[in-house]
Amino acid sequence: MVKLDSHVPDGNISEKWSNHKFSMKLVNPANKRKYDIIVVGTGLAGASAAASLGELGYKVKAFSYHDSPRRAHSIAAQGGINAAKNYQNDSDSVFRLFYDTVKGGDFRSREANVYRLAEVSNNIIDQCVAQGVPFAREYGGTLANRSFGGAQVSRTFYARGETGQQLLLGAYGSLNRQIHLGNVKMFPRREMLDLVIVDGKAQGIMVRNLITGEVESHSAQAVILATGGYMNVYFLSTNAMNSNVTASWRAHKRGAVFANPCYTQIHPTCLPVHGENQSKLVLMSESLRNDGRIWVPKKIGDTRSPDQIPEDERDYYLERKYPAFGNLVPRDVASRNAKYVCDEGRGVNGGRAVYLDFSEAFNRIGTEGVKDKYGNLFDMYQNITGTDPYKVPMQIYPAPHYAMGGLWVDYNLMSNVPGLFVLGEANFSDHGANRLGASALMQGLADGYFVIPYTLGNYLTTEKPAKVDPKSNEFKEAENNVKENVSKLLNVNGKQTVDSIHKRLGHILIDKVGMSRSEKGLKEAINSISELREEFWKDVKIVGKGSELNQTLERAGRVSDFLELGELMAIDALNRNESCGGHFREEYQTVEGEALRRDDEYSYVAAWEFKQPGKWELNKENLEFDNIKLATRSYK
Amino acid sequence: MNGNHIHLTLNIWRQETPSSKGNFEEYKQNVSPDASILEILDEINNHLEAEGKRPIAFESDCREGICGTCGLVINGHPHGPLPKTATCQLHMRNFNDGETLYIEPFRAAAFPVIKDLIVDRSGFDKIQQAGGYVSFNTGSAPDANNILIPKQIADLALDAAECIGCGACVAACKNSSAMLFVAAKVSQFALLPQGQSERYERVQAMVKVMDENLFGSCTNTYACEAECPKGISVSNIARMNREYIVAQLKTEELAH
């Protein structure tokens, strides 16, 4: 068993962070340069952390598998970033953002972390504006806001449909400045393949140089992972091609517990799958649901073109089932219902797609009105599908998008392995069982700019400012481990390609550990995944050598980890005999078919400890709600 | 969505190491019009791997046209023949049955080939490290609305800031000039109040590193704007030139 202490400070929720900042010990400014810090991943969380720690005077080594930090998938976030500024005078506040986030997460997150997130959200906007991030503005020169993801206040800051790009480039600029000043050393095209633990503490990593294939040791007094989410476990997702779980997973296998892996978000407004050779799914901003109406034919097997299906033969199923929220129900509800109507055979042409129809909006605000609001999304749709959405209703289908689960961390964002910190989507911390729109960018930057610069210092005061020897036995053992794993992969020499096995894993997961899960399906998934994993290690084929740029080898390593994670996702989903947020168990629903949470038994974080492939031990962190009353989400 | 496949002949650049010679290899492929060009490369690679042959090395990540990782020269055009489209967003329905395609890496002295279609664009990062930021430490920012920026200025700055750093401008230019890339960042900060303190040092520092990294000069052919997947305007280059001239004068002034 692992002792999970959340280290949430005492006191009133609104004072916890301030008190904690004061009570934490400080590192002497002259000593800071004696500490080496490793940051893995340079997206929003990693770049902001590396830059801020560099500014404080630590010696930072930052690692990315990309050619440049600017490529990280944070760049693709479209919609915006939340903050409790209340610039719109519409009654927003830190407490309201905190409340919405805890409720949106279906009461499965840690109150104190979420409160701090809401509290520092305002500093993030200040920081990014000062960096020169060109947010949208009103004519008077003030910042513009919009309402997003069904929120009842306008608290979302944005830069066209490219908010993630602008925020990442802001953090990338700060990181570049620290590289220029010599405080951060950047190691691009390196993939972390192991964590090194010395005397029970994280003190280094092993990376593979992706150009030469060389395995390199890097030591430090602390290791920070900011390596993103694991939704590519489903093969098809909105994540970038290279997004993976490997850094987190290798740390997990060295002792870091993995929390709530079954909490996955499947986003409702994505383009449908067009064929077996598709490589990824594309998200379109859910703002489309503000004016588009979602429907399918009432009759099974109705293959008429949409303009030939009369009004009374269409089922606007979200408006029918949820009259109060209609097409604006939360992401998980919208996604699950799309699955149901397609399972019934009522999807477009009997397939897996539903219509998103703007005819009503064209009549109400005109084609120009729609173009003003959604022009770029309509163009994107036409570019990808070759169909004109001004003439034919769009087709959409849900796609795996965001991982709420991740490595377990305490209030200080430290995992159960001392010295190993985890930031951004890679940790499990703030979104509970479901993440709200425009909250991912907020969390990544909160962790990197405003949390880790404080909490890391407190940890380092317990560490001597002396170099960690990268030649110790622990480093040698990790190096051998990485080299053995690489040669094991290369020596299988079977017949199946890495992608073909990954696709099969994806099919199992989306089918049985996706939008709707059952005991029977999950048990089947556990068996099929463990069989598939065996098959992988007997029959995978990797062309080329380890001592060169070898993209197949890179993917093979990542898929080998996904094959273990996939099984844990199913195990976690099977353990959680309730429905909450993105986790919907068919056995646990109300008579009306809505998610049935079971707070008495499952109000805990499920943190899994790795024993051996296929074997994990469950540890629990109980969640207490002192500031927000547990309630059932209702969108009727 | 169209189910009819089309037949293409693809001539793809293969080069094992930076120093090896490299040549085109021909692949015949039956493709779905809904697939992107990168998905066609995925398919070819799957066949190659199944046959135990070395797959084509190429880079891509977001496949949504925003990360700037992908970038191929297709029939002589960086990112292919469609305007304002990144390689990953180029779908096969834009090609005709029976067509022949030539696919090669970005060509520029500043972007040496690493393998097959992968090039080294680290020169871009070096330029950004020299000054592509506002020097501002975390934690010291005033309230965001203390800095008022007229909407028109914010929009112009964002037009420039949309650069995805793919390098198509360099590949398109007969001189391999990186002026559009550098001008985009210089413009963003020259336009915004936050960029004013370092306005003139920034442009000098970035141009200096640009010149050191084998990027050529601008001779106003506008090929960069024509091939830019984000449509970054060459007017940014004009702005950078003005900034640079003023910067030279200011530096002289300060020296006296």
Side-chain angles (χ1 to χ4, degrees):
Chain A
M1 289 299 269
V2 172
K3 192 171 165 280
L4 296 179
D5 185 342
S6 66
H7 293 113
V8 170
D10 293 334
N12 186 297
I13 190 132
S14 63
E15 290 158 10
K16 283 181 194 289
W17 181 232
S18 308
N19 292 345
H20 191 54
K21 281 195 284 186
F22 181 72
S23 64
M24 282 187 289
K25 293 191 197 85
L26 302 173
V27 180
N28 178 319
N31 273 345
K32 282 185 180 143
R33 63 174 173 271
K34 296 178 189 162
Y35 288 101
D36 292 317
I37 311 298
I38 283 172
V39 178
V40 187
T42 50
L44 277 185
S48 58
S52 303
L53 296 171
E55 287 163 11
L56 286 172
Y58 297 111
K59 288 290 166 204
V60 179
K61 298 196 255 186
F63 296 82
S64 168
Y65 54 66
H66 290 293
D67 66 326
S68 162
R70 67 181 297 151
R71 312 284 184 218
H73 199 50
S74 309
I75 206 149
Q78 300 169 0
I81 176 166
N82 285 332
K85 283 284 195 186
N86 193 33
Y87 280 161
Q88 305 306 321
N89 201 27
D90 57 358
S91 202
D92 199 8
S93 62
V94 167
F95 197 88
R96 190 180 295 281
L97 177 54
F98 158 63
Y99 176 87
D100 287 352
T101 308
V102 171
K103 181 181 171 220
D106 219 355
F107 302 93
R108 288 294 175 267
S109 48
R110 194 190 282 144
E111 273 193 343
N113 285 53
V114 180
Y115 192 91
R116 176 179 61 193
L117 175 68
E119 202 177 341
V120 303
S121 67
N122 293 336
N123 303 96
I124 296 170
I125 302 303
D126 299 341
Q127 169 69 17
C128 295
V129 166
Q131 286 171 344
V133 169
F135 281 117
R137 299 264 166 181
E138 303 293 353
Y139 284 99
T142 53
L143 287 151
N145 290 116
R146 62 183 169 200
S147 151
F148 196 78
Q152 287 170 314
V153 291
S154 290
R155 63 160 72 103
T156 304
F157 294 77
Y158 62 100
R160 293 188 189 136
E162 297 157 341
T163 318
Q165 183 200 20
Q166 294 310 315
L167 295 176
L168 181 63
L169 294 181
Y172 166 72
S174 292
L175 173 62
N176 279 336
R177 177 170 160 246
Q178 293 308 309
I179 294 171
H180 182 70
L181 295 170
N183 298 323
V184 177
K185 186 162 167 47
M186 183 70 215
F187 295 84
R189 296 191 189 272
R190 306 294 204 288
E191 177 160 38
M192 173 180 153
L193 293 180
D194 210 350
L195 175 73
V196 185
I197 297 181
V198 182
D199 298 333
K201 295 176 202 156
Q203 299 216 311
I205 59 171
M206 305 304 302
V207 297
R208 183 169 174 272
N209 180 322
L210 298 182
I211 300 294
T212 63
E214 220 173 310
V215 176
E216 305 169 355
S217 309
H218 294 275
S219 66
Q221 281 96 341
V223 175
I224 296 170
L225 299 186
T227 47
Y230 51 80
M231 292 305 268
N232 269 350
V233 70
Y234 290 97
F235 185 74
L236 284 181
S237 82
T238 65
N239 282 189
M241 298 303 290
N242 293 298
S243 301
N244 66 74
V245 77
T246 289
S248 291
W249 199 253
R250 305 288 165 103
H252 173 55
K253 290 173 88 165
R254 290 283 182 186
V257 293
F258 208 101
N260 302 332
C262 81
Y263 290 164
T264 57
Q265 181 167 82
I266 306 208
H267 196 292
T269 51
C270 302
L271 298 179
V273 176
H274 65 63
E276 194 48 30
N277 293 321
Q278 186 157 354
S279 58
K280 78 165 296 242
L281 297 171
V282 176
L283 172 81
M284 289 188 302
S285 170
E286 67 184 331
S287 62
L288 289 168
R289 288 197 282 146
N290 288 330
D291 285 297
R293 298 177 70 197
I294 294 173
W295 65 275
V296 290
K298 277 188 182 163
K299 273 199 312 245
I300 294 173
D302 189 344
T303 54
R304 288 176 290 175
S305 70
D307 57 327
Q308 297 301 313
I309 302 178
E311 272 305 306
D312 62 352
E313 292 182 43
R314 298 174 175 193
D315 180 12
Y316 294 91
Y317 56 88
L318 290 177
E319 297 173 22
R320 172 170 59 80
K321 288 174 78 173
Y322 308 96
F325 278 70
N327 295 296
L328 291 173
V329 291
R331 290 175 177 180
D332 54 321
V333 180
S335 293
R336 198 157 54 241
N337 280 283
K339 174 185 159 47
Y340 289 158
V341 293
C342 293
D343 285 349
E344 289 167 24
R346 296 197 290 136
V348 176
N349 292 322
R352 306 213 74 85
V354 300
Y355 288 118
L356 177 64
D357 195 331
F358 284 79
S359 333
E360 190 268 334
F362 292 143
N363 292 333
R364 181 164 41 86
I365 52 175
T367 309
E368 281 309 306
V370 172
K371 199 177 225 165
D372 264 1
K373 283 171 109 167
Y374 308 110
N376 61 334
L377 296 167
F378 274 54
D379 291 349
M380 180 173 98
Y381 183 88
Q382 174 147 20
N383 170 299
I384 295 172
T385 64
T387 311
D388 181 358
Y390 291 101
K391 295 193 178 120
V392 184
M394 288 185 180
Q395 294 180 26
I396 56 167
Y397 197 69
H401 180 55
Y402 187 88
M404 282 77 70
L407 290 176
W408 182 89
V409 288
D410 66 5
Y411 187 73
N412 297 314
L413 303 183
M414 188 163 87
S415 71
N416 59 305
V417 176
L420 177 69
F421 294 79
V422 191
L423 318 184
E425 191 178 348
N427 74 27
F428 88 107
S429 141
D430 294 357
H431 306 296
N434 177 48
R435 179 178 66 73
L436 292 179
S439 287
L441 301 180
M442 173 172 68
Q443 187 220 335
L445 291 180
D447 290 359
Y449 283 134
F450 295 109
V451 180
I452 194 70
Y454 294 88
T455 59
L456 180 74
N458 190 46
Y459 168 76
L460 291 174
T461 55
T462 63
E463 289 299 293
K464 284 194 200 86
K467 289 276 172 217
V468 175
D469 176 16
K471 294 207 169 65
S472 69
N473 286 336
E474 288 85 351
F475 278 86
K476 278 190 198 123
E477 188 270 326
E479 186 179 340
N480 289 337
N481 181 39
V482 168
K483 286 181 173 164
E484 268 168 33
N485 196 41
V486 166
S487 62
K488 204 172 135 199
L489 283 166
L490 290 167
N491 289 332
V492 177
N493 207 11
K495 289 198 173 55
Q496 300 181 55
T497 62
V498 175
D499 275 10
S500 67
I501 294 176
H502 192 182
K503 271 185 204 175
R504 284 166 64 198
L505 172 67
H507 281 305
I508 299 170
L509 286 168
I510 196 71
D511 193 29
K512 301 200 160 92
V513 201
M515 286 170 270
S516 187
R517 299 136 183 212
S518 71
E519 183 182 341
K520 181 169 166 284
L522 290 167
K523 286 182 173 160
E524 286 164 5
I526 292 168
N527 284 334
S528 344
I529 295 170
S530 101
E531 281 166 23
L532 188 61
R533 189 167 62 236
E534 258 178 60
E535 204 177 317
F536 173 90
W537 284 107
K538 277 190 194 134
D539 201 31
V540 74
K541 183 180 196 73
I542 299 157
V543 183
K545 299 177 297 214
S547 57
E548 62 179 358
L549 189 157
N550 188 337
Q551 294 172 309
T552 318
L553 176 65
E554 292 166 26
R555 284 204 306 275
R558 296 166 191 173
V559 171
S560 73
D561 294 331
F562 281 144
L563 283 162
E564 294 180 6
L565 165 71
E567 184 175 354
L568 182 62
M569 285 163 65
I571 290 173
D572 186 41
L574 182 64
N575 170 68
R576 191 164 284 279
N577 290 310
E578 65 163 350
S579 295
C580 57
H583 168 67
F584 188 83
R585 277 285 299 274
E586 289 159 14
E587 299 89 342
Y588 303 96
Q589 46 184 311
T590 64
V591 279
E592 292 133 333
E594 297 309 315
L596 182 69
R597 240 179 35 229
R598 297 174 68 204
D599 295 328
D600 292 348
E601 285 184 72
Y602 290 96
S603 194
Y604 65 77
V605 177
W608 300 90
E609 185 186 352
F610 181 85
K611 295 289 177 189
Q612 63 188 69
K615 288 266 174 298
W616 286 270
E617 189 173 85
L618 175 63
N619 298 271
K620 298 177 183 177
E621 179 200 337
N622 284 320
L623 294 170
E624 276 147 37
F625 295 88
D626 302 325
N627 297 276
I628 297 182
K629 224 175 109 208
L630 286 160
T632 304
R633 294 191 309 166
S634 171
Y635 301 97
K636 289 277 174 190
Chain B
M1 309 200 184
N2 194 334
N4 303 326
H5 279 52
I6 54 173
H7 303 274
L8 294 177
T9 304
L10 299 108
N11 291 285
I12 301 174
W13 186 259
R14 304 301 308 264
Q15 180 176 340
E16 206 157 340
T17 64
S19 55
S20 53
K21 195 156 169 275
N23 59 283
F24 282 103
E25 271 178 32
E26 189 187 270
Y27 303 86
K28 296 213 182 269
Q29 196 72 18
N30 207 357
V31 308
S32 154
D34 289 327
S36 72
I37 186 112
L38 297 183
E39 286 169 346
I40 302 308
L41 295 183
D42 290 339
E43 252 184 278
I44 295 175
N45 276 348
N46 254 313
H47 293 309
L48 289 173
E49 284 178 27
E51 292 165 13
K53 293 182 185 151
R54 197 168 63 78
I56 302 155
F58 70 98
E59 284 188 298
S60 78
D61 202 37
C62 78
R63 297 207 176 180
E64 295 179 21
I66 193 77
C67 72
T69 308
C70 68
L72 305 174
V73 176
I74 300 155
N75 289 354
H77 292 279
H79 293 302
L82 280 197
K84 288 173 88 171
T85 303
T87 303
C88 60
Q89 298 295 83
L90 182 62
H91 290 80
M92 303 319 289
R93 71 179 74 89
N94 297 296
F95 297 96
N96 300 315
D97 193 29
E99 208 169 321
T100 299
L101 268 57
Y102 284 83
I103 298 176
E104 52 192 314
F106 283 175
R107 307 273 188 198
F111 292 165
V113 171
I114 296 174
K115 187 174 188 173
D116 294 341
L117 302 171
I118 301 179
V119 297
D120 177 358
R121 288 170 288 192
S122 54
F124 269 14
D125 282 327
K126 290 183 189 133
I127 297 171
Q128 295 294 341
Q129 286 158 14
Y133 39 78
V134 175
S135 295
F136 199 92
N137 282 0
T138 304
S140 51
D143 183 86
N145 263 346
N146 278 346
I147 306 170
L148 295 180
I149 303 169
K151 183 176 187 309
Q152 297 86 336
I153 298 293
D155 285 348
L156 267 183
L158 181 51
D159 288 343
E162 278 180 337
C163 167
I164 60 174
C166 63
C169 47
V170 175
C173 177
K174 60 178 177 152
N175 310 320
S176 300
S177 166
M179 287 285 271
L180 191 64
F181 169 78
V182 182
K185 192 49 75 179
V186 167
S187 280
Q188 177 192 346
F189 292 133
L191 286 160
L192 293 173
Q194 299 94 310
Q196 297 310 306
S197 320
E198 298 159 291
R199 182 169 174 178
Y200 299 111
E201 292 85 347
R202 176 180 303 113
V203 63
Q204 288 177 313
M206 291 180 80
V207 167
K208 180 168 176 280
V209 177
M210 173 180 85
D211 290 341
E212 286 165 2
N213 279 274
L214 303 177
F215 295 102
S217 308
C218 173
T219 49
N220 299 310
T221 66
Y222 298 3
C224 50
E225 179 183 309
E227 301 290 5
C228 175
K230 298 302 278 185
I232 307 285
S233 163
V234 290
S235 64
N236 290 300
I237 296 183
R239 184 180 293 107
M240 179 163 86
N241 284 332
R242 293 195 297 274
E243 293 291 312
Y244 191 78
I245 292 166
V246 177
Q248 299 294 83
L249 297 171
K250 294 255 177 199
T251 325
E252 277 174 33
E253 218 172 85
L254 288 175
H256 283 101

